[in-house]
Amino acid sequence: MGLLKLAPTSFFLDAGVVLFCISLSAWCYTHRRHYSGKIEGYILENQVTHTRLLPLEASHAFTYPILSLFASLDALEGHRLDLCKGWVFGYGGRWGRLIGLRANPYFADVGKAKTIRQKLDDVLSERGFKDIEDVHNTFGETHVYVLEVGKNEDSTNTRPKGRRFIHQWTFLREFHVSPFNDRSGFYTISIKSPSHPPTQSLHHNKPPRPAVRIHLHNPSDTQGIGPLKLTALLRSTASFPLTTPNVLASLSRLPFALLLSMPRILRQAWTLHYRKRLNVFLRPEPLPPSQKPEFGAWRRGGGVKWLREGLLERYARGRVLAFLGERADQAGVHITLVSADPLVPDYTMGVAESTQHLVITYLSPRFFTILFTVPSPEHALLLASDTEHIFSVSSRELFITVFTPPTPSNLAITSLQLLRKNHVPSSIPLCVPSPHFLDSGCSSRVDNVKAELALRALFFLEHLQRWIFSMVHARIVLYKEPWTVWRRAEKVFWEHRGIVLASTIEVRERVESEER
């Protein structure tokens, strides 16, 4: 096999492309610092370092470069920072630009066009504060931590030396971010402010280089601040005015920085799970925000964006609301459903003047699919309220009354109820009514088929999830697997009756032996 010979045309074309790229990079480099116009934004070249310290056998560290923007929101949203009419950099939109920034990923998606400034003002007005930390996870959820300058800050002698961190706060962790950490513990956030706001750049020769350091501490035995588990540091290594030459130069230096975030996350997750042997904590439902008084004694959080409702969740919600609309009038009960998601409206039905008022607070749309898939209201309370803590009710007795409509006692169990019953362990001795409270809405053959398809789809997805975890040899934290939820419910059921079952490890061994 001989060597391939380059055609002359191909050679000169490739050489021309290389020469153009070198010339463009050289021009960008020589022009990036020479800018005397008004500066309202900077492009920052940063370095992000993560270091895991606990458990010791899973210690790990990595460092990656990233690009970020430091700019005035007014200038950004006024399109004064758009470069080359938005082709190189622009605010809003999705297509027709090299890089850009959109309002949608920040804070809550309110379903209508709102700028970052407007959404920020909404969050601040609700909380009455001026400084916040907007945190995202890979599931699409968003959480806000309030950091008020001069209030609840750590003492100066506890702040790190050497990096000139000006502000520092320590507070309880409330949001699930990493699958290799649970939601417990404390954050310590230290901030080195930029040398000046972007709008005052003409009066400063020193480029702004902010830095943020985050420490995650495990809780102590007394639920105080325990040992340091993880550190993360974001620091700016270079800062340049947001101009076309500077943007092109930064992209030529870090051409894949904006595209490799998810691949890098997956790579580090693979390392921690398969090489460091860390088990996975599945995503818990976000905590209800403080502006929802109906949640009473629930632990509160700063969630502002929840996962969007899925197709099956939307179907189950429609069935539940249709049932409650009729049942509330029939039973003379006032019913209110309150979601933890601040963007989901409350549902109110029935007679407002009634002395019987049932308030149901729920964390996520999963509440509706649970009502749809369990055989009875007692099963729903056991599984989703007592075990998984997905919802709570103002009165358990009234909840059972509402979701137990009067039916003839001699009815045979329906095929849909058999599907639900077969999904529940026989070791939980709760009564299974012959018709399900939601099946009364299946007035036609088509409705019955839709309900059966939805049920089978939900049960199939549970089995599919288990199969996928098995195929990739993924390990979930012991006794927290989704497919053992009824085993956990069984344990809660008997504990409420004064009977303590075997330890979780013994239960796990029993489950695995039954599967074999």
Side-chain angles (χ1 to χ4, degrees), residues 28-36 207 209 238-241 243 246:
C28 291
Y29 181 79
T30 56
H31 285 75
R32 67 186 306 169
R33 298 178 183 274
H34 303 291
Y35 183 76
S36 58
R209 293 188 182 181
S239 175
F240 305 101
T243 63
N246 289 341

Side-chain angles (χ1 to χ4, degrees), residues 164-361:
R164 298 180 182 177
F165 288 102
I166 300 174
H167 304 287
Q168 179 172 297
W169 298 264
T170 298
F171 49 89
L172 193 65
R173 189 168 185 251
E174 300 171 345
F175 186 53
H176 179 75
V177 179
S178 168
F180 304 106
N181 297 312
D182 62 8
R183 199 163 52 187
S184 64
F186 295 83
Y187 280 134
T188 296
I189 294 186
S190 308
I191 295 178
K192 173 189 174 185
S193 299
S195 56
H196 56 276
T199 54
Q200 298 179 9
S201 299
L202 290 177
H203 306 289
H204 295 266
N205 295 323
K206 187 177 181 180
R209 293 188 182 181
V212 178
R213 192 199 69 171
I214 301 176
H215 281 184
L216 172 61
H217 293 263
N218 279 336
S220 65
D221 295 337
T222 59
Q223 297 306 307
I225 300 176
L228 181 62
K229 181 179 184 179
L230 184 146
T231 69
L233 174 65
L234 182 149
R235 64 182 186 90
S236 298
T237 57
S239 175
F240 305 101
L242 187 66
T243 63
T244 297
N246 289 341
V247 168
L248 296 177
S250 293
L251 290 177
S252 67
R253 286 169 49 86
L254 304 171
F256 303 109
L258 300 178
L259 304 176
L260 291 179
S261 294
M262 184 55 67
R264 285 167 173 168
I265 290 174
L266 295 176
R267 178 186 176 185
Q268 297 304 326
W270 184 91
T271 299
L272 291 173
H273 190 59
Y274 294 105
R275 293 184 58 189
K276 301 294 184 175
R277 309 299 296 173
L278 285 179
N279 291 343
V280 171
F281 290 90
L282 293 184
R283 180 191 66 86
E285 301 296 346
L287 299 173
S290 56
Q291 62 266 34
K292 290 275 187 174
E294 296 86 354
F295 281 84
W298 284 68
R299 181 187 168 191
R300 301 309 182 88
V304 294
K305 182 187 288 188
W306 267 243
L307 290 180
R308 291 188 176 182
E309 184 181 56
L311 179 63
L312 293 172
E313 293 168 334
R314 188 179 305 116
Y315 171 79
R317 175 173 58 84
R319 296 291 302 275
V320 171
L321 294 180
F323 165 79
L324 289 178
E326 296 181 3
R327 180 63 179 148
D329 294 333
Q330 182 186 66
V333 179
H334 182 208
I335 302 174
T336 304
L337 275 69
V338 182
S339 171
D341 186 347
L343 297 185
V344 174
D346 296 346
Y347 299 104
T348 302
M349 52 210 75
V351 182
E353 296 79 13
S354 174
T355 58
Q356 293 182 304
H357 185 196
L358 176 63
V359 179
I360 304 174
T361 52

Side-chain angles (χ1 to χ4, degrees), residues 428 479 486-496 499-504 507:
I428 300 178
Y479 201 54
W486 279 112
R487 296 297 178 184
R488 297 195 294 274
E490 176 190 6
K491 187 171 183 289
V492 171
F493 176 85
W494 290 112
E495 285 178 350
H496 284 182
I499 301 174
V500 180
L501 294 182
S503 67
T504 56
V507 172

Side-chain angles (χ1 to χ4, degrees), residues 32 39-40 54 84 89 99 129 147 161 163 261-262 275 351 403 419 433 446 472 484 492 499:
R32 67 186 306 169
I39 301 173
E40 293 185 290
L54 296 176
C84 295
F89 173 85
I99 60 174
F129 292 96
L147 306 175
K161 309 297 182 183
R163 292 192 182 274
S261 294
M262 184 55 67
R275 293 184 58 189
V351 182
F403 284 93
L419 277 176
V446 174
V472 300
T484 62
V492 171
I499 301 174

Side-chain angles (χ1 to χ4, degrees), residues 404-424:
T404 309
T407 55
S409 58
N410 58 349
L411 290 179
I413 190 168
T414 64
S415 59
L416 295 178
Q417 272 296 70
L418 281 175
L419 277 176
R420 298 182 178 101
K421 179 181 178 181
N422 293 335
H423 203 64
V424 179

